[in-house]
Amino acid sequence: MSSPVSALKLTGLAKSFGASIAVDCLDLDIRAGEFYALLGPNGAGKTTTLRMVAGLLSADAGGIEIFGINARRAPIEAKRITAWLPDEPMLYDKLNPLEYLEFVAGLWSIDASEAQSRARELCEMLDLWKHRHERCEGFSRGMKQKVALAGALIHNPRLLMLDEPLTGLDAAIARQVKDILVERVRAGAAIILTTHILEVAERLADRIGIIQRGRLIAEGTLAQLRGVSGSSQSTLEDVFLRLTQATELAA
Amino acid sequence: MKFRPGSFPWLVAHDLRLGFARARSIFGDARPATILAVVAAIVAVFHLLAWPAALWFIRVDGEAGASALNYPALACAALFVLPWLVSQALSNATRALYSRGDLDLLLASPLSARTVLAARALAIAIESLMSVGVFLFPLANMAALLGGWRWLAIYPALAAGGLLATGAGLAVTVALFALVGPKRTRFVSQILATFIASAFVLSAQLVNVLPEELRDSVVATFNHPQSGSWLDRDGFIWLPARAASGESAALALWCGAAVLVFAVSAVALGPAFMASARRSAGVGGATGKTRASARARRFRAGVGVALRRKEWLLLRRDPFLASQLLLQIVYTLPISVVIWRSLGPNGSLALAVSPCIVVLAAQISASLAWLAVSSEDAPDFLASAPVSRAQVERNKLAAVFAPLGLFLAAPCLALAFVEPDMALLTVVFALGAAASTALLNMWRPHPGRRSDMMRRHQQSKIIGLMEHMIALCWAVATVLAIMMSFTTLLPIALVAALLWCNHPRGAPRAAIAG
């Protein structure tokens, strides 16, 4: 049996801002077809890690490999199969959803007719179709988040990085988004998600990584994490708090 | 002084505090003592500059008695001040309507909507008044110091002008809202405010363009109007000038009329303004144009097409851009008229027009490049796309040049009919100027909001200075080239040196991370 393909491989990744160490020799291996939740307290280095993978920050040291592509050496090729959805939707207020999706499709060099049908499919799936000609400036936060998610999905990324993707979404849409993400994973994409809503990670993630002070302090399935924390019946919230508090005390 | 929370003066004080905070932001993180020192220095300089004008006022008073006035001069002053006040009031009223700020909070509170509007209107009047008062109050002070106490009447006369202008501004805003709807009111009012504000500039140039005989005749008519004509000094048209010069009956009438207009506007238009404010809260949806064009349009592929198209859509939908660019044109074009007239009847048209076209190209290009690069709404998103920084910059530059071509086509074509070779030279130099200021803005980005385009130089005064210097160098180079002088290369070399100094040479840039 062949070993699963590595979707994202971080080796000794490091980043400092002046004297403050944001990411400290981080090693991570996320496989294709895996839903990975990266958890950590505020300022643990989650977003910095994702920004380095997305090519928005240059790493001080270490390697980033996305489906075998060295992202530090060939960033354009790596970005072609990647999507990053930050917690604050990156939109243009004066564009409508269709114009935004056309723009995104253009940047990722997707064939026009394919992009058009994909845009329609995504708009319908995310309940945006009836708002497709309205400018984003009038949208609620949840609506903006949906447009940004459609933009992240339009080029069928193989690695999807989501920073707090469910913020501002109503229950029905949040459920829809979760279904879409699960479907993506089943189709072979890898998803790395950061969230403070631990129930989401508990329900969706195949594996969970807990990061603190820029280092990975625990990683595994929920059952494995329960084992590490020594409480077999605990919720992820209990496990998370126990592990992070223990690390904090040790530091 | 403390006012009762929720009372009218408390609301006015609240609005003024917000206005003060906006004004204070010009100074960035400077300490209060520094700000105070700078403001005191500015006030002192304005008083010094007002000294010769005040001396002239006193001399006229002394020569011809208190009742005699230099009416053409006062008419010019009124022609400048009143449109400016109306323009400011219109802009401020529109801003109050659209930049929600705390309006939603106030409207949701148990305060009467009428009180909220009246307070906001008074704050608008005070802000509009201060925009002119900063120049005119020193004049009143200096004239009073020199013994012309009656010139202190400028204070109440100007305050009345502010109230009157605010009443007009509110009425126009509400009327526009009813006539053109919430989606277009902001755009139309910006254009309107620009034209009203430029009334003085255009009028002043109109006097310059008139043949000498006609101009003398106009001045004579103003100085010695026929009794009973519309220029008769007892008529309403001179009321603001007579009020500002301290004529007590005129001052009382002017102030009374202003208070009445303001009160009636605030009371009568209050509900309509508040209804407009509530409706404007939902503005941002589709316009008919967007809907129709989007339905008919098919997606187009390609990185370059996507980048340029996005920039053009954003430029086209920028509610402030048209008026701000128009303002630059309106203020620059009269200069060419002045140069043309000074060259005499046999002067070259190109010598008058070409440097102005080149300066305009540099300014417009700088503004558009700043919008495209520094006020990019989603720089992180662009950085996460599989597109190189060079590709992004190249396409943004191309996107900037297309609307610039639209702006410059008409004057260059007109020049081509008269002096075709000079028109070609103008196009070359205009493109050079445009490329220079665009590159400067691309290499030295200063992130900011689109609505802050005209205030962008407050962020980096050095960039602003260099921008103006580049425009000036290209204008001088154009003049020298028209005169067939090889020294035209000198200012161009200076521009090249400036750009070379600002080239990032691989350094990380703020707006587009790589």
Side-chain angles (χ1 to χ4, degrees):
Chain A
M1 201 174 113
S2 61
S3 60
V5 179
S6 179
L8 174 67
K9 192 169 189 172
L10 306 181
T11 43
L13 194 68
K15 179 74 188 173
S16 301
F17 297 101
S20 156
I21 298 170
V23 178
D24 190 5
C25 285
L26 183 67
D27 292 319
L28 213 59
D29 193 355
I30 298 165
R31 295 180 286 266
E34 185 175 42
F35 205 126
Y36 190 95
L38 188 63
L39 309 180
N42 290 333
K46 306 183 296 287
T47 302
T48 304
T49 303
L50 294 193
R51 285 176 70 86
M52 283 192 282
V53 177
L56 301 174
L57 274 178
S58 54
D60 293 342
I64 304 169
E65 240 177 56
I66 299 172
F67 282 96
I69 300 167
N70 185 331
R72 295 190 70 188
R73 240 182 258 151
I76 303 286
E77 282 69 27
K79 286 172 183 179
R80 223 175 277 288
I81 53 168
T82 311
W84 180 58
L85 185 69
D87 53 345
E88 274 299 321
M90 300 180 293
L91 295 179
Y92 296 91
D93 280 350
K94 299 285 175 197
L95 298 187
N96 66 38
L98 273 190
E99 288 164 345
Y100 175 72
L101 293 179
E102 184 188 1
F103 173 60
V104 179
L107 289 183
W108 263 265
S109 304
I110 303 172
D111 174 71
S113 60
E114 188 194 329
Q116 190 146 20
S117 62
R118 190 95 192 91
R120 183 182 179 125
E121 189 187 314
L122 284 166
C123 283
E124 283 174 345
M125 203 188 288
L126 290 164
D127 204 20
L128 287 168
W129 190 245
K130 59 178 177 287
H131 303 289
R132 66 192 181 280
H133 300 307
E134 293 171 22
R135 291 182 196 166
C136 295
E137 63 191 343
F139 287 175
S140 66
R141 195 196 147 88
M143 285 281 286
K144 285 183 177 176
Q145 191 73 2
K146 285 197 285 181
V147 177
L149 182 65
L153 294 175
I154 196 161
H155 62 285
N156 275 325
R158 296 176 71 190
L159 174 67
L160 193 53
M161 292 174 287
L162 310 165
D163 199 355
E164 299 286 354
L166 303 178
T167 312
L169 299 183
D170 62 46
I173 295 297
R175 177 66 174 271
Q176 227 171 343
V177 169
K178 282 186 257 180
D179 291 345
I180 292 169
L181 297 180
V182 169
E183 192 190 311
R184 287 275 155 171
V185 170
R186 281 199 196 120
I191 291 183
I192 176 165
L193 162 130
T194 73
T195 181
H196 286 111
I197 312 169
L198 299 186
E199 290 81 7
V200 173
E202 191 170 344
R203 278 193 40 210
L204 294 178
D206 299 315
R207 277 195 308 149
I208 297 160
I210 298 177
I211 182 173
Q212 193 170 21
R213 293 173 179 266
R215 281 174 172 273
L216 195 66
I217 57 167
E219 189 187 45
T221 60
L222 180 56
Q224 287 169 333
L225 290 179
R226 280 176 179 148
V228 173
S229 71
S231 49
S232 58
Q233 295 303 310
S234 308
T235 61
L236 177 59
E237 189 180 15
D238 296 328
V239 171
F240 174 80
L241 290 174
R242 201 163 294 157
L243 288 170
T244 50
Q245 278 164 3
T247 312
E248 200 59 40
L249 282 173
Chain B
M1 189 162 42
K2 289 235 169 182
F3 300 109
R4 185 174 57 81
S7 65
F8 176 73
W10 181 83
L11 278 171
V12 175
H14 165 75
D15 279 341
L16 290 178
R17 202 164 37 240
L18 295 180
F20 178 73
R22 273 197 301 274
R24 194 190 181 283
S25 66
I26 295 170
F27 298 96
D29 297 330
R31 287 177 305 165
T34 313
I35 296 173
L36 204 65
V38 172
V39 170
I42 292 171
V43 169
V45 167
F46 280 1
H47 276 80
L48 279 176
L49 291 174
W51 182 268
L55 269 176
W56 177 75
F57 274 19
I58 300 304
R59 187 170 57 80
V60 171
D61 280 0
E63 281 172 4
S67 61
L69 291 167
N70 189 325
Y71 275 88
L74 281 176
C76 280
L79 203 62
F80 168 66
V81 171
L82 290 177
W84 179 262
L85 282 174
V86 174
S87 161
Q88 286 290 306
L90 189 57
S91 299
N92 288 338
T94 313
R95 196 184 63 209
L97 208 61
Y98 286 91
S99 316
R100 312 296 305 159
D102 58 349
L103 202 56
D104 285 336
L105 175 69
L106 291 171
L107 289 175
S109 75
L111 297 176
S112 132
R114 198 156 277 168
T115 312
V116 171
L117 172 74
R120 187 130 295 182
L122 190 57
I124 289 172
I126 294 171
E127 280 185 47
S128 309
L129 164 72
M130 288 313 292
S131 68
V132 185
V134 71
F135 303 106
L136 291 187
F137 293 154
L139 185 64
N141 296 342
M142 294 313 288
L145 268 178
L146 292 167
W149 293 100
R150 68 192 183 113
W151 291 107
L152 284 177
I154 285 175
Y155 277 91
L158 207 56
L163 290 177
L164 206 65
T166 304
L170 287 177
V172 172
T173 308
V174 169
L176 281 177
F177 215 87
L179 284 172
V180 300
K183 281 159 193 157
R184 291 185 190 87
T185 294
R186 183 164 43 183
F187 174 73
V188 176
S189 77
Q190 290 285 331
I191 299 283
L192 203 60
T194 305
F195 272 112
I196 294 171
S198 61
F200 171 73
V201 180
L202 296 177
S203 310
Q205 295 314 316
L206 194 68
V207 173
N208 275 327
V209 173
L210 289 177
E212 209 168 320
E213 285 173 19
L214 186 60
R215 191 170 50 202
D216 291 345
S217 143
V218 169
V219 172
T221 313
F222 264 83
N223 273 329
H224 308 288
Q226 282 184 342
S227 179
S229 73
W230 66 279
L231 279 174
D232 190 339
R233 285 174 193 177
D234 291 329
F236 188 78
I237 195 169
W238 296 109
L239 191 63
R242 295 206 322 263
S245 65
E247 202 179 304
S248 47
L251 184 62
L253 191 59
W254 175 242
C255 290
V259 170
L260 189 69
V261 168
F262 178 80
V264 168
S265 301
V267 172
L269 299 174
F273 189 86
M274 286 307 166
S276 305
R278 286 188 184 103
R279 279 177 65 202
S280 73
V283 169
T287 62
K289 205 175 170 186
T290 309
R291 192 167 289 148
S293 61
R295 190 175 292 148
R297 195 170 45 76
R298 295 194 67 79
F299 273 28
R300 275 173 280 180
V303 174
V305 174
L307 282 165
R308 290 194 299 273
R309 212 183 120 68
K310 185 267 284 182
E311 290 306 329
W312 289 330
L313 277 174
L314 296 183
L315 290 176
R316 206 176 71 198
R317 292 174 187 171
D318 192 318
F320 303 104
L321 182 64
S323 64
Q324 286 167 339
L325 293 184
L326 205 63
L327 200 66
Q328 284 184 339
I329 293 170
V330 164
Y331 286 153
T332 310
L333 283 185
I335 297 169
S336 64
V337 178
V338 174
I339 299 171
W340 189 37
R341 275 190 59 81
S342 67
L343 291 172
N346 300 321
S348 158
L349 182 66
L351 212 49
V353 171
S354 299
C356 291
I357 293 177
V358 168
V359 167
L360 265 181
Q363 287 177 344
I364 294 173
S365 163
S367 301
L368 297 180
W370 183 84
L371 282 176
V373 178
S374 293
S375 70
E376 165 64 50
D377 291 326
D380 280 355
F381 172 71
L382 276 189
S384 71
V387 187
S388 70
R389 190 163 67 193
Q391 215 172 354
V392 172
E393 288 184 350
R394 209 168 43 242
N395 283 291
K396 278 180 179 263
L397 199 63
V400 165
F401 269 72
L404 185 69
L406 286 178
F407 272 105
L408 299 178
C412 287
L413 277 174
L415 186 61
F417 275 106
V418 189
E419 298 176 63
D421 49 342
M422 291 300 140
L424 186 66
L425 186 138
T426 306
V427 169
V428 171
F429 277 71
L431 288 177
S436 308
T437 51
L439 284 174
L440 179 72
N441 275 279
M442 291 207 167
W443 291 341
R444 297 285 297 269
H446 276 271
R449 286 176 306 173
R450 297 183 82 86
S451 56
D452 289 337
M453 186 182 83
M454 293 306 271
R455 289 191 294 262
R456 68 187 192 277
H457 293 150
Q458 287 169 6
Q459 285 180 315
S460 174
K461 291 174 183 66
I462 293 176
I463 295 292
L465 198 69
M466 280 195 283
E467 226 176 79
H468 292 310
M469 213 167 144
I470 287 173
L472 191 69
C473 281
W474 276 106
V476 172
T478 309
V479 171
L480 293 171
I482 291 169
M483 293 162 72
M484 302 291 177
S485 168
F486 280 111
T487 47
T488 187
L489 292 174
L490 285 177
I492 295 175
L494 185 60
V495 171
L498 269 175
L499 290 176
W500 186 82
C501 291
N502 285 287
H503 188 273
R505 291 182 197 82
R509 277 171 261 178
I512 306 167

